[in-house]
């Protein structure tokens, strides 16, 4: 029993990582970056196909990975642009850093939530495709 749970968890993490890489890569395409978390979570959920909870978990995993990549890229850009990270200098007001950190955290949480929604939608798309491929009456066959 524990082995089956461990395999399911490993598969969910793998699918989340694949979706996270896809979403992070799409995040660098100018127009597509607006929906990159939704698409990355959708890829993870489509690959998961284990019910809405597992699909959402795979999508959220993809969102966490995309947020981590975004944070890393932002840190590298700051380091290259300013030569050092801004919070190292005593001249930087802490209130400005606190507001920036709060907004960054809010953006990361939003990205994870949108990716989880994408995971659910991707899982539903996978179920719909399997149903219509098996000859069932899916929404596309209703006419």
């Amino acid at each position: 029993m524990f082995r089956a749970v461990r395999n399911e968890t490993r598969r969910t993490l793998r699918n989340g990582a694949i979706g996270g890489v896809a979403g992070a890569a799409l995040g660098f395409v100018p127009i597509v970056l607006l929906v990159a978390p939704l698409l990355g979570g959708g890829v993870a959920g489509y690959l998961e196909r284990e019910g809405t909870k597992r699909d959402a978990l795979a999508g959220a995993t993809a969102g966490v990975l995309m947020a981590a990549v975004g944070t890393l890229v932002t840190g590298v850009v700051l380091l290259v642009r300013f030569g050092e990270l801004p919070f190292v200098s005593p001249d930087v007001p802490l209130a400005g850093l606190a507001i920036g950190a709060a907004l960054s955290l809010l953006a990361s949480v939003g990205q994870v939530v949108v990716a989880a929604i994408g995971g659910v939608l991707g899982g539903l798309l996978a179920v719909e495709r399997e149903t219509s491929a098996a000859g069932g009456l899916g929404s596309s066959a209703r006419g």
Side-chain angles (χ1 to χ4, degrees), residues 4 7-9 11-12 14-15 44-58 119-120 122-124 126-127 130:
N7 287 338
E8 286 180 9
T9 302
R11 188 180 67 233
T12 300
R14 184 194 70 218
N15 292 335
Y46 186 85
L47 293 173
E48 185 67 24
R49 300 178 191 180
E50 286 293 324
T52 56
K53 287 183 182 180
R54 298 293 290 197
D55 297 341
L57 184 61
V120 171
L124 291 174
V127 168
E130 287 175 358

Side-chain angles (χ1 to χ4, degrees), residues 16 34 53 58-60 125:
L34 298 172
K53 287 183 182 180
L125 178 67

Side-chain angles (χ1 to χ4, degrees), residues 51-125:
T52 56
K53 287 183 182 180
R54 298 293 290 197
D55 297 341
L57 184 61
T61 304
V64 167
L65 184 63
M66 286 183 280
V69 168
T71 302
L72 183 66
V73 168
T74 301
V76 168
V77 168
L78 282 174
L79 188 63
V80 168
R81 173 74 174 100
F82 296 113
E84 61 183 22
L85 294 176
F87 51 81
V88 179
S89 173
D91 299 334
V92 177
L94 293 179
L97 284 177
I99 291 172
L103 290 175
S104 179
L105 180 64
L106 183 65
S108 295
V109 168
Q111 189 171 15
V112 171
V113 169
V114 170
I117 292 169
V120 171
L121 293 176
L124 291 174
L125 178 67

Side-chain angles (χ1 to χ4, degrees), residues 1-13 54:
M1 171 163 168
F2 291 116
R3 185 174 296 241
V5 170
R6 190 171 34 196
N7 287 338
E8 286 180 9
T9 302
R10 186 175 293 147
R11 188 180 67 233
T12 300
L13 291 174
R54 298 293 290 197

